[in-house]
Amino acid sequence: MMKKIVFVCLGNICRSPMAEAIMKKLLKEQKLEMIFQVDSMATSFEEVGNPIYPPAREKLKERGILAFTHQAKVFKKENYDEYDYIIGMEESNIYNLIRIVDADQEHKIRKLLGHHDIKDPWYTRDFETTYQEIEYGCRQLLEELIKREGE
Ligand code: 4NP
């Protein structure tokens, strides 16, 4: 049974597309691309239609993720039913997601790192830290999902 994951940040041009690309890489390495489908979205309309932000793309390239096409889009209320795991990057993403969906009745919404906010590299300019935190979070999440979905 296919499971669907969506990563969500503010603009969908830095953190959530990085998470999408990194998770897709991990899934490919573990030959799990047929089991998990991955997407990413924004909570704001600011960057709709835009590609991944060049410094974020560069960071992915540095780590061997060369081909990643992307167009920023916004998470809508209707998307709630479509996804099994809705993963924000920081507390404000969770707040905005709850505002969009009204209530997280199926407990699908959570942060990538439970007790840590992945800060916006648009402001910090530290794309290396962003990459490391997202990769760590994705590895942990995937490990958990494999355990859970394998039951
Ligand atoms: P992201 O970074 O949420 O990691 O994609 C941002 C990019 C753009 C804006 C905010 C955050 N913006 O307001 O334009």
Side-chain angles (χ1 to χ4, degrees):
M1 180 62 173
M2 163 86 73
K3 290 287 166 182
K4 295 180 74 171
I5 306 163
V6 59
F7 294 105
V8 179
C9 64
L10 181 59
N12 191 217
I13 59 165
C14 298
R15 291 164 295 175
S16 61
M18 286 173 83
E20 178 187 343
I22 291 167
M23 189 58 114
K24 282 178 172 169
K25 180 182 181 221
L26 296 176
L27 290 170
K28 200 167 177 191
E29 284 169 2
Q30 303 190 33
K31 305 214 183 323
L32 293 168
E33 329 81 293
M34 304 300 282
I35 304 190
F36 296 100
Q37 191 180 312
V38 188
D39 207 340
S40 68
M41 295 183 189
T43 59
S44 111
F45 285 84
E46 206 72 37
E47 301 288 346
V48 169
N50 287 341
I52 188 167
Y53 189 51
R57 192 209 320 276
E58 278 308 304
K59 192 50 74 179
L60 293 176
K61 210 194 250 180
E62 228 179 82
R63 306 299 171 93
I65 303 172
L66 303 174
F68 182 71
T69 50
H70 180 67
Q71 268 203 319
K73 54 185 182 289
V74 175
F75 186 94
K76 305 277 173 55
K77 192 174 164 68
E78 309 87 78
N79 295 126
Y80 185 79
D81 290 331
E82 204 182 314
Y83 289 93
D84 301 289
Y85 298 93
I86 301 168
I87 313 292
M89 300 293 132
E90 62 180 323
E91 208 55 45
S92 62
N93 304 145
I94 305 303
Y95 176 86
N96 288 323
L97 279 166
I98 301 289
R99 186 177 47 77
I100 292 167
V101 305
D102 292 332
D104 181 16
Q105 281 174 342
E106 294 173 59
H107 306 290
K108 295 176 173 181
I109 299 175
R110 62 153 119 169
K111 279 199 300 194
L112 184 57
L113 296 172
H115 39 259
H116 179 75
D117 283 337
I118 298 172
K119 290 189 193 68
D120 200 334
W122 180 265
Y123 300 107
T124 66
R125 313 309 299 176
D126 184 358
F127 287 84
E128 176 60 27
T129 299
T130 306
Y131 186 97
Q132 288 178 15
E133 290 180 350
I134 290 174
E135 189 186 42
Y136 180 76
C138 282
R139 284 189 189 281
Q140 290 217 317
L141 177 65
L142 184 55
E143 205 171 296
E144 180 201 325
L145 298 192
I146 289 168
K147 269 184 206 146
R148 169 161 335 152
E149 302 301 342
E151 279 165 11

